[in-house]
RNA sequence: GGGAGUUUAGCUCAGCUGGUUCAGAGCAUCUGCCUUACAAGCAGAGGGUCACUGGUUCGAACCCAGUAACUCCCACCA
């Protein structure tokens, strides 16, 4: 195989991905090996790859590739989520462009369009993941609306209904007027919005003139004229509201019973401005006296708190809004107008009528739909709910007792807080795209829950003898579908068909899965609920570790988003830096749970790393072996072997703690510093000279091992190099992706420490060269007076080569008039053809001496302190003694040096 | 309003049980090199009041209390 002179990832990345696919290396079937399973957090089927996916899936791929190389049966299940609201919104928009309105379609027709859309655009994101190198078992690609997946959802619904955990009820829900569906609390995003606070005057009803206003039953606008004429002359009270368009839905005005300002109005009624309906003044401590005017308009239909107040005070509910957020006829005025337009118009009307006292700028939190970004409207409606309390308890325990580990652990607190305050889950959505709720309504309004209409009919007949005559045609199925999360919470089970066939070979083998990699934002939406479902269906956790990634931000710390336009296109990055480069770039600065400040520069570093590996390869590949040569690099070889073992132990430890960026950094330094900068330089033959067999063989083996350690991070370049004949003739199926990860052996720490000193010697020599502006090509003589136990004879070769030394001698006496330096306690001398600057040399030694004296003083202070000697651990004290002895030895050498200067 | 977290070099982060020779890494910066693997490079260097204030301790980046700034989550003040 001919290898390119330059590192050009585009030349081989696609090639290897196809080859891996062809060879079915990603595919997994149960066997006798230990399984290692990851299920992908399914992205939206119509989604496009963004930086968050890149990070998330890079991490998953590193984990899965590593497991595969460690001999596990690695299975990464990919797939997509039907994302009901988001996808339905996209389909509706697409149809609208074609001039088709959803209203004009039947459910079946609409779903046909939706499936067309899904088949056309769905799964683009999965294709993009392939570019990144994601080694998913694509044969297992699942979709949350696949027939067996949907069946699991329906079965779950029925199961929980039978347990009494699913019920119907009228509730105030978060209504998305754009999606025309309810959304869950978790799907509401609160944002601070600049608003206006409108101060509106409500005329107090004069008891003498109106019949019986206290009962609040006067509902029509019959006395509008009377009211308007009275406004100028009578008492009024002022309320402050941000939503003047809802005054027509007011059921009462509420003040705090302790508020002296309103004592005189207790028991009275007021007119709703513009429509003149009479409503009572009530008292409740809920109202804050210090906010606004201390008067609250109570609008049970359009505000959650007001709704609760309404229940408490038995107030009527007047819903003036349509599903799409426009005003209905109950509003009496501005009928058909959108709520926001109505707000502006009503302000004008109030102004004209003399009811608007003033407006103030006001900031407050408003909820927005996560899916459509429409302002959420609190709305009363009939919904399906799932009880959470009983499921939350075991799900909390799994995390608290450590059966499921959250990484990093700080999320445990957040998780607990949420699980202890969990509220029932609104699981119905007023959409078509999703699993239709398996409930069937009888003509009399009763309903039954059943899997099919036939079963429903039987259930209905059991329900009452009156239903004996019913036929399937008399039953109508619930229109609503379930929340998307009601399908994705089954994901780790249903991808292995574990609901319908709870004892099948696949689920028994792969479940529980090992690691889940996801974003902290969906810890509750998804992670918590998967744990609940796992417990409910299998009595077991769905995964053992949850690795929570951070949010990808730009270098200014802003969240990457389409609207800000600060997110680079991941595929462009891959084109520019190669998938390996982008993977390394992303991983370098992304500890678990911390946001990553993404900077394209990180990818430059990533691709530079690829370039470095490539060039190290070219160097080794260029060597010719001469079998007659004697091996002279035994020390270098032994050193690197030990250094490799040491680094591998560190990397293993980092992985065990899910410190992926540190594992990568340790690998990076092992390759770049230890292997390239030191080892290869130590053994590199002179230009165009051959190398001995022993060194060559070891070097090739080292290189292979490095490629293996690198593979999970940089799969493409490692596979490309792996197949070069440099590493021997390989069977085409002998790929690095399925190679065995090396294991580490014994570590000789003394040798490693000695070599560190030797490296220090080399650095000092280079330093002197730099300072004296001597060319690296000019060989210099070097002498050493040994005071330590290091055997410099063994290292002479390395020092001579890396320091470009002409002659290396071991001496017993100091060399006068030479440039000197210390490495630990050993004294080195480089005689140069120039007079040594005695004064400067003296000064250097004086400085060193001063420092050592100060240091000794601090050590002595400790050792002379009785309490230190009494309290500190013996090994700490021993260490202090050693520090003292070392410093004294060094000091003696320096003092001797100073004496020699006279 | 409640809760959690963060604060260490210009940037991004390590620093594991409080104790190795005045706190480490990568990137960036500076100096010198186009030295036949690599200028996407090589060799070297500089850079820190560990947010602040107190306390505990023989000893604190680390433990405790308080302060400040920032981030995230939760919450109905119209």
């Amino acid at each position: 195989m001919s290898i390119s002179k330059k590192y050009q990832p585009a030349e081989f990345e696609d090639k290897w991905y196809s080859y891996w696919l062809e060879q079915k290396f990603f595919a997994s079937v149960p066997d006798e090996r230990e399984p290692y399973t990851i299920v992908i957090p399914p992205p939206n089927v119509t989604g496009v790859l963004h930086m968050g996916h890149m990070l998330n899936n890079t991490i998953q791929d590193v984990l899965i590739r590593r497991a595969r190389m460690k001999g596990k049966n690695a299975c990464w299940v990919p797939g997509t989520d039907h994302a009901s609201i988001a996808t339905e919104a996209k389909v509706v928009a697409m149809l609208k462009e074609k001039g088709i309105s959803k209203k004009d379609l039947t459910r079946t027709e609409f779903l046909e369009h939706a499936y067309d859309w899904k088949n056309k655009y769905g799964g683009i994101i999965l294709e993009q993941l392939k570019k990144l190198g994601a080694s998913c078992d694509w044969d297992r690609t699942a979709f949350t609306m696949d027939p067996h997946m949907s069946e699991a959802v329906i079965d779950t619904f029925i199961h929980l209904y039978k347990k009494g955990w699913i019920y119907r009820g009228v509730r105030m829900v978060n209504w998305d007027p754009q999606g025309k569906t309810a959304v869950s609390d978790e799907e509401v995003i609160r944002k601070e919005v600049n608003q206006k606070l409108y101060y509106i005057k409500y005329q107090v009803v004069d008891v003498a003139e109106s019949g019986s206003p206290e009962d609040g039953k006067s509902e029509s606008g019959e006395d509008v004229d009377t009211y308007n004429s009275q406004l100028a002359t009578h008492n009024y009270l002022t309320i402050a509201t941000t939503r003047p368009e809802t005054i027509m839905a007011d059921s009462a005005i509420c003040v705090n019973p302790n508020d002296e300002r309103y004592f005189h109005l207790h028991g009275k009624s007021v007119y709703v401005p513009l429509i003149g309906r009479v409503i009572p003044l009530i008292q409740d401590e809920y109202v804050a006296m210090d906010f606004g005017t201390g008067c609250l308009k109570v609008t049970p239909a359009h505000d959650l708190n007001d709704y609760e107040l309404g229940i408490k005070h038995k107030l009527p509910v007047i819903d003036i809004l349509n599903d799409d957020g426009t005003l209905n006829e109950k509003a009496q005025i501005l009928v058909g107008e959108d709520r926001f337009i109505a707000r502006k118009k009503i302000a004008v009307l109030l102004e004209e009528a003399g009811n608007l006292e003033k407006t103030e700028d006001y900031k407050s939190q408003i909820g927005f739909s996560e899916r459509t970004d429409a302002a959420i409207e609190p709305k009363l409606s009939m919904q399906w709910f799932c009880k959470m309390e009983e499921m939350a308890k075991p799900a909390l325990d799994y995390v608290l007792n450590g059966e499921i580990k959250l990484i990093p652990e700080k999320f445990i607190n957040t998780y607990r807080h949420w699980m202890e305050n969990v509220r029932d889950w609104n699981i119905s959505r007023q959409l078509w795209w999703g699993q239709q709720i398996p409930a069937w309504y009888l003509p009399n309004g009763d309903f039954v829950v059943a899997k099919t209409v036939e079963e429903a009919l039987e259930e209905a007949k059991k329900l009452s003898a009156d239903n004996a005559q019913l036929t399937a045609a008399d039953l109508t199925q619930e229109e609503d579908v379930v929340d998307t999360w009601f399908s994705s919470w089954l994901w780790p089970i249903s991808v292995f068909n574990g609901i319908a066939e709870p004892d099948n070979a696949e689920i028994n083998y792969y479940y529980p899965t090992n690691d889940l990699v996801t974003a902290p934002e969906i810890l509750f939406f998804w992670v918590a609920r998967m744990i609940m479902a796992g417990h409910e269906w299998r009595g077991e956790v769905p995964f053992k570790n949850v690795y929570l990634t951070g949010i990808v931000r730009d270098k200014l710390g802003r969240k990457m988003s389409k609207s800000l336009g600060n997110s680079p296109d991941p595929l462009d990055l891959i084109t520019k830096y190669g998938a390996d480069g982008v993977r390394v770039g992303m991983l370098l600065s992304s500890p678990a749970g911390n946001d990553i400040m993404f900077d394209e520069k990180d990818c430059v570093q990533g691709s530079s790393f690829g370039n470095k590996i490539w060039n190290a390869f070219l160097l080794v590949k260029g060597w010719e072996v001469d079998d007659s040569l004697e091996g002279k690099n035994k020390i270098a070889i032994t050193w690197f072997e030990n250094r490799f073992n040491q680094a591998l132990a560190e990397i293993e430890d980092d992985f065990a703690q899910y410190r992926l960026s540190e594992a990568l950094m340790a690998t990076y330094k092992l390759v770049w510093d230890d292997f390239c900068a030191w080892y290869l330089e130590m053994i590199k033959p002179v230009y165009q000279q051959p190398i001995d067999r022993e060194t060559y063989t070891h070097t090739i083996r080292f290189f292979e091992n490095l490629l293996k350690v690198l593979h999970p991070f940089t799969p493409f370049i490692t596979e490309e190099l792996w197949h070069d004949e440099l590493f021997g003739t390989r069977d085409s199926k002998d790929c690095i992706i399925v190679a065995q990860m090396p294991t580490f052996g014994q570590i000789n720490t003394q040798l490693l420490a000695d070599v560190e000193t030797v490296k220090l010697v080399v650095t000092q020599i280079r330093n002197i060269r730099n300072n004296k502006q001597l060319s690296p090509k000019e060989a210099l003589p070097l002498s050493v007076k040994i005071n330590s136990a290091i055997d410099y004879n063994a290292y002479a070769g390395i020092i001579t080569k890396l320091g470009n030394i002409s002659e290396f001698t071991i001496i017993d006496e100091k060399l006068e008039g030479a440039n000197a330096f210390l490495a630990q306690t050993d004294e080195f001398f480089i005689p140069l053809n120039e007079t040594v600057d005695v004064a400067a040399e003296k000064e250097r030694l004086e400085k060193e001496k001063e420092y050592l004296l100060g240091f000794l003083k601090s050590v002595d202070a400790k050792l002379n302190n009785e309490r230190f000697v009494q309290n500190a651990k013996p090994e700490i004290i021993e260490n202090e003694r050693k520090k003292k002895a070392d410093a004294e030895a060094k000091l003696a050498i320096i003092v001797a040096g100073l004496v020699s200067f006279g």
Side-chain angles (χ1 to χ4, degrees):
Chain A
M1 182 165 93
S2 75
I3 210 91
S4 168
K5 278 287 162 202
K6 289 192 96 173
Y7 170 54
Q8 278 157 342
E11 284 181 354
F12 54 80
E13 292 194 344
D14 286 347
K15 173 185 78 183
W16 286 115
Y17 198 87
S18 311
Y19 191 71
W20 292 328
L21 280 180
E22 213 175 281
Q23 295 295 325
K24 299 233 166 261
F25 287 137
F26 306 159
S28 168
V29 286
D31 59 23
E32 70 292 340
R33 287 174 297 167
E34 187 188 334
Y36 174 86
T37 319
I38 296 182
V39 289
I40 203 170
N44 290 1
V45 68
T46 58
V48 202
L49 198 68
H50 60 64
M51 294 307 289
H53 296 121
M54 293 283 281
L55 173 64
N56 192 265
N57 288 290
T58 297
I59 291 167
Q60 290 175 73
D61 196 47
V62 169
L63 295 175
I64 205 91
R65 282 179 187 271
R66 206 178 129 77
R68 193 180 287 122
M69 291 178 75
K70 293 197 132 215
K72 309 256 178 76
N73 185 347
C75 180
W76 183 9
V77 183
T80 48
D81 189 297
H82 66 279
S84 55
I85 300 178
T87 306
E88 180 150 331
K90 278 188 187 171
V91 174
V92 168
M94 175 275 291
L95 289 172
K96 197 173 170 190
E97 261 175 44
K98 288 186 183 169
I100 305 169
S101 166
K102 184 187 166 192
K103 279 187 304 200
D104 302 333
L105 297 174
T106 65
R107 188 176 190 119
T108 317
E109 286 167 345
F110 177 82
L111 288 177
E112 269 170 27
H113 283 293
Y115 269 107
D116 283 350
W117 168 272
K118 182 245 165 188
N119 291 336
K120 195 164 169 193
Y121 301 103
I124 289 181
I125 192 159
L126 299 183
E127 290 307 308
Q128 294 177 312
L129 283 180
K130 293 178 182 173
K131 290 273 175 198
L132 184 65
S135 56
C136 306
D137 182 353
W138 298 107
D139 299 339
R140 294 178 175 275
T141 304
F143 174 52
T144 49
M145 275 171 70
D146 283 341
H148 78 278
M149 303 285 282
S150 284
E151 194 185 344
V153 172
I154 299 304
D155 287 347
T156 301
F157 187 99
I158 295 167
H159 169 81
L160 294 177
Y161 177 78
K162 283 185 179 155
K163 273 189 111 160
W165 290 357
I166 285 181
Y167 62 92
R168 273 184 107 207
V170 173
R171 287 296 156 89
M172 185 68 88
V173 295
N174 305 298
W175 186 258
D176 174 348
Q178 198 167 315
K180 286 185 207 150
T181 177
V183 295
S184 71
D185 291 341
E186 291 77 18
E187 288 165 308
V188 176
I189 300 169
R190 291 182 176 276
K191 295 186 213 166
E192 182 134 291
V193 175
N194 286 318
Q195 297 203 94
K196 286 215 175 344
L197 200 52
Y198 298 83
Y199 285 79
I200 302 171
K201 295 194 255 190
Y202 282 55
Q203 177 65 43
V204 176
V205 175
D206 188 325
V207 182
E209 289 184 30
S210 86
S212 51
E214 286 91 337
D215 61 11
K217 278 180 189 157
S218 176
E219 279 174 19
S220 69
E222 64 222 25
D223 25 33
V224 174
D225 292 338
T226 335
Y227 151 76
N228 280 339
S229 66
Q230 287 169 347
L231 193 58
T233 52
H234 286 70
N235 258 350
Y236 60 84
L237 49 79
T238 307
I239 58 97
T241 181
T242 54
R243 304 205 55 192
E245 76 279 14
T246 63
I247 61 170
M248 292 82 81
D250 288 352
S251 294
I253 295 292
C254 188
V255 296
N256 193 299
N258 304 314
D259 196 335
E260 296 178 3
R261 290 172 294 179
Y262 301 111
F263 280 173
H264 67 290
L265 294 174
H266 287 186
K268 303 235 171 175
S269 296
V270 298
Y271 294 103
V272 175
L274 302 178
I275 60 170
R277 182 158 48 75
V278 174
I279 55 172
L281 183 87
I282 60 172
Q283 294 99 47
D284 196 290
E285 299 211 343
Y286 162 74
V287 179
M289 291 189 274
D290 56 358
F291 185 87
T293 59
C295 289
L296 172 72
K297 71 190 215 42
V298 185
T299 320
H302 301 294
D303 185 283
L304 182 58
N305 311 298
D306 291 12
Y307 176 65
E308 277 156 18
L309 265 180
I311 290 173
K312 193 168 162 190
H313 294 272
K314 299 192 171 61
L315 298 170
V317 175
I318 304 155
D319 189 342
I320 62 161
L321 288 176
N322 292 313
D323 287 353
D324 60 358
T326 57
L327 273 57
N328 64 28
E329 58 287 348
K330 287 193 193 136
Q332 301 181 40
I333 54 172
L334 300 169
V335 173
E337 295 281 8
D338 179 79
R339 54 194 168 140
F340 294 115
I341 294 168
R343 182 176 305 171
K344 288 193 181 118
K345 290 194 173 172
I346 204 158
V348 175
L349 294 176
L350 287 167
E351 177 88 63
E352 285 168 4
N355 288 88
L356 191 62
E357 190 174 296
K358 59 173 177 177
T359 62
E360 272 175 8
D361 286 333
Y362 182 69
K363 266 190 189 150
S364 73
Q365 300 268 312
I366 299 280
F368 290 87
S369 166
E370 186 186 44
R371 310 285 175 151
T372 65
D373 207 35
I376 289 298
E377 191 64 49
K379 186 177 166 68
L380 282 171
S381 63
M382 184 65 88
Q383 301 285 341
W384 293 84
F385 290 87
C386 182
K387 282 190 194 169
M388 288 278 103
E389 216 178 318
E390 281 162 275
M391 283 195 275
K393 175 88 180 65
L396 174 59
D397 290 343
Y398 283 133
V399 171
L400 292 185
N401 69 23
E403 259 186 88
I404 293 176
K405 282 211 192 81
L406 301 188
I407 298 145
E409 287 181 347
K410 66 177 179 185
F411 287 106
I412 294 175
N413 282 334
T414 327
Y415 181 82
R416 174 173 45 209
H417 188 255
W418 192 77
M419 295 303 264
E420 283 173 350
N421 296 287
V422 69
R423 297 203 291 191
D424 285 358
W425 174 17
N426 172 13
I427 52 169
S428 47
R429 296 290 182 273
Q430 291 65 49
L431 301 166
W432 284 343
W433 181 242
Q435 289 91 9
Q436 195 171 357
I437 287 175
W440 310 80
Y441 295 99
L442 278 52
N444 66 4
D446 289 348
F447 68 88
V448 290
V449 168
K451 200 162 179 175
T452 60
V453 66
E454 291 79 18
E455 283 175 33
L457 196 59
E458 273 177 45
E459 288 288 321
K461 287 177 181 168
K462 273 191 256 170
L463 206 61
S464 157
D466 299 343
N467 297 334
Q469 303 306 315
L470 289 180
T471 64
D474 296 320
L475 300 180
T476 46
Q477 190 175 355
E478 165 67 60
E479 285 283 307
D480 290 359
V481 297
V482 290
D483 180 13
T484 303
W485 299 107
F486 196 84
S487 62
S488 39
W489 72 329
L490 306 174
W491 186 251
I493 305 174
S494 56
V495 292
F496 301 115
N497 202 22
I499 303 271
E501 296 173 37
D503 204 27
N504 80 67
E506 293 247 313
I507 187 89
N508 285 339
Y509 181 72
Y510 292 113
Y511 190 95
T513 69
N514 296 73
D515 297 332
L516 179 80
V517 180
T518 192
E521 296 109 279
I522 54 175
L523 187 58
F524 310 130
F525 272 123
W526 191 47
V527 179
R529 287 175 184 152
M530 277 191 288
I531 299 173
M532 293 178 192
H535 178 79
E536 181 60 23
W537 280 109
R538 304 206 54 87
E540 225 183 338
V541 298
F543 29 70
K544 292 160 199 148
N545 301 291
V546 182
Y547 182 102
L548 296 151
T549 63
I551 296 168
V552 182
R553 299 176 179 277
D554 67 10
K555 56 183 169 184
L556 300 175
R558 299 174 306 178
K559 191 171 175 173
M560 284 191 172
S561 71
K562 261 192 219 156
S563 51
L564 272 174
N566 60 349
S567 177
D569 180 337
L571 294 183
D572 288 349
L573 288 177
I574 289 176
T575 311
K576 224 164 144 186
Y577 303 103
D580 287 338
V582 179
R583 289 165 68 111
V584 169
M586 298 229 54
L587 237 35
L588 272 174
S589 59
S590 58
N594 275 8
D595 289 357
I596 115 160
M597 304 295 166
F598 181 78
D599 189 338
E600 216 175 297
K601 275 194 292 190
D602 297 337
C603 294
V604 176
Q605 194 182 350
S607 66
S608 301
F609 186 42
N611 187 55
K612 187 73 191 176
I613 299 165
W614 193 264
N615 280 294
F617 168 82
L618 288 182
L619 173 70
V620 177
K621 180 150 174 84
W623 290 341
E624 268 178 45
V625 183
D626 182 342
D627 280 314
S628 67
L629 286 177
E630 190 199 341
K632 281 185 191 154
N633 297 307
K634 288 192 175 59
I635 279 274
I637 291 165
T638 317
W639 168 73
F640 188 76
E641 210 156 61
N642 276 281
R643 177 62 203 122
F644 179 80
N645 282 336
Q646 188 186 39
L648 200 56
E650 276 168 36
I651 292 164
E652 288 289 339
D653 187 54
D654 287 336
F655 269 108
Q657 297 179 66
Y658 291 83
R659 297 169 164 224
L660 269 61
S661 54
E662 287 188 51
L664 172 57
M665 187 46 77
T667 309
Y668 179 93
K669 285 195 277 192
L670 173 67
V671 170
W672 200 307
D673 299 341
D674 297 309
F675 187 67
C676 293
W678 288 102
Y679 175 76
L680 288 181
E681 293 300 329
M682 285 177 194
I683 62 149
K684 181 163 119 179
V686 187
Y687 182 57
Q688 287 190 330
Q689 293 296 305
I691 194 163
D692 67 88
R693 174 67 63 188
E694 183 188 39
T695 308
Y696 186 77
T697 312
H698 280 104
T699 306
I700 300 288
R701 204 188 77 233
F702 292 154
F703 213 132
E704 274 187 329
N705 279 338
L706 288 174
L707 289 180
K708 289 179 185 174
V709 177
L710 279 164
H711 180 80
F713 300 111
T714 55
F716 295 108
I717 185 175
T718 49
E719 192 72 85
E720 171 74 4
L721 296 180
W722 180 258
H723 289 269
D724 188 88
E725 63 210 6
L726 176 68
F727 299 108
T729 328
R730 291 190 194 283
D731 185 273
S732 65
K733 287 189 181 184
D734 177 11
C735 287
I736 197 167
I737 184 178
V738 289
Q740 279 298 309
M741 192 59 90
T743 50
F744 60 89
Q746 288 291 310
I747 299 162
N748 181 344
T749 47
Q750 185 59 52
L751 173 73
L752 288 168
D754 287 356
V755 173
E756 283 312 300
T757 308
V758 168
K759 282 158 85 174
L760 192 66
V761 172
V762 172
T763 302
Q764 295 273 35
I765 296 165
R766 287 169 175 169
N767 234 331
I768 286 174
R769 261 216 181 78
N770 249 347
N771 291 339
K772 307 276 176 204
Q773 307 215 321
L774 299 171
S775 159
K777 286 178 190 162
E778 188 185 338
L780 303 172
L782 178 74
S783 301
V784 57
K785 178 172 177 291
I786 305 171
N787 301 311
S788 73
I790 298 177
D791 175 13
Y792 279 97
N793 278 315
Y795 299 110
I798 291 172
I799 295 173
T800 303
K801 188 167 188 178
L802 299 186
N804 192 14
I805 296 304
S806 54
E807 196 188 358
F808 183 62
T809 47
I810 295 171
I811 52 175
D812 296 326
E813 290 301 323
K814 299 166 147 339
L815 212 57
E816 303 300 337
N819 280 273
F821 63 84
L822 273 180
Q824 301 302 347
T825 52
D826 302 321
E827 295 165 88
F828 289 82
F829 305 94
I830 300 180
L832 293 172
N833 292 331
E834 55 158 34
T835 39
V836 172
D837 186 340
V838 176
E841 201 57 14
K842 244 176 119 171
E843 198 191 318
R844 189 178 63 81
L845 290 173
E846 282 292 356
K847 259 190 176 165
E848 184 88 351
K849 180 184 161 190
E850 216 169 292
Y851 162 73
L852 281 168
L853 285 174
F855 175 69
L856 274 172
K857 208 173 152 190
S858 77
V859 175
D860 277 334
K862 279 190 202 177
L863 287 171
N864 294 334
N865 183 327
E866 266 177 50
R867 286 201 278 184
F868 172 74
V869 180
Q870 276 166 16
N871 296 333
K873 282 181 238 165
E875 61 265 31
I876 302 280
I877 297 168
E878 195 42 51
N879 204 349
E880 290 298 319
R881 295 225 166 91
K882 186 176 179 297
K883 273 155 70 176
K884 183 178 163 149
D886 287 353
E888 277 170 346
K890 219 166 170 178
L891 187 65
I893 292 160
I894 285 166
V895 170
L898 279 167
V899 169
S900 75
F901 284 120

